[in-house]
Amino acid sequence: MSSYAIPDETKFAQIRFLRKDGKTYARPPGRPVVVAVLRYDPEHGAGPRIITGLKPTYALIDTGADNNYATPKLIAEAGCPQIGTARLRNGGGWTESTQHLAHILLPETGNQYETDVFSSNLVDDGEHGESLIIGVLVIKAGRLVMDFQADIYRLYVE
């Protein structure tokens, strides 16, 4: 058992830190990210199978975000169906958004989460910006460890 009360064999996605130079590093400073894939998987939960057509991206781990967010482009590429509309509050005030059914896959662990994703015009320069934000909806499904003293940065999955 780890010092975080997490069984030693528990899988985790390593958190990296994306800096302004577009590279990721093992230690801060930078924005905490994991490699993730946004997709729509109608066979979710159907058992082992070969998954193809994955487009990994850096996903920002945002403990201040209640929901998950993605760019309209990423949502369209993933084929996520719209299930509703919403008004979201961001730094600039209220904005209209669309709500989509999506699956967030963490390739490093093989775990996939069925969740809602809201459309948002995130900073995405096509190469270094995050086109996906993982919020508390997914974070709370596992355990987030950001231990700056011990240099341990992981998103454990359960």
Side-chain angles (χ1 to χ4, degrees):
M1 191 68 85
S2 75
S3 59
Y4 305 105
I6 299 170
D8 293 330
E9 66 278 355
T10 304
K11 296 185 286 185
F12 61 87
Q14 188 69 49
I15 294 174
R16 305 280 297 165
F17 294 89
L18 184 64
R19 297 188 189 158
K20 290 183 180 186
D21 65 4
K23 297 178 184 174
T24 60
Y25 297 87
R27 302 175 67 185
R31 299 180 306 250
V33 296
V34 294
V35 174
V37 174
L38 183 71
R39 57 197 305 265
Y40 174 61
D41 182 8
E43 299 295 319
H44 177 77
R49 62 198 186 288
I50 296 172
I51 300 173
T52 60
L54 301 180
K55 184 181 176 188
T57 187
Y58 286 121
L60 177 70
I61 299 295
D62 189 347
T63 59
D66 292 331
N67 300 300
N68 306 299
Y69 302 92
T71 61
K73 177 182 175 185
L74 184 61
I75 289 170
E77 289 174 354
C80 301
Q82 182 176 335
I83 58 173
T85 58
R87 286 183 46 84
L88 303 175
R89 185 171 178 90
N90 60 28
W94 290 94
T95 183
E96 297 294 323
S97 178
T98 53
Q99 179 181 7
H100 301 264
L101 175 61
H103 297 85
I104 296 175
L105 171 69
L106 302 177
E108 192 173 353
T109 66
N111 287 65
Q112 178 170 271
Y113 301 92
E114 184 174 80
T115 186
D116 292 347
V117 171
F118 292 89
S119 176
S120 181
N121 292 321
L122 305 172
V123 175
D124 180 12
D125 60 12
E127 189 174 348
H128 304 304
E130 295 90 10
S131 54
L132 176 61
I133 292 178
I134 294 177
V136 174
L137 276 176
V138 170
I139 295 170
K140 70 181 182 181
R143 293 188 188 180
L144 178 64
V145 173
M146 299 281 286
D147 187 335
F148 294 89
Q149 187 172 14
D151 275 336
I152 299 171
Y153 311 101
R154 297 175 176 171
L155 178 59
Y156 286 92
V157 296
E158 296 181 359

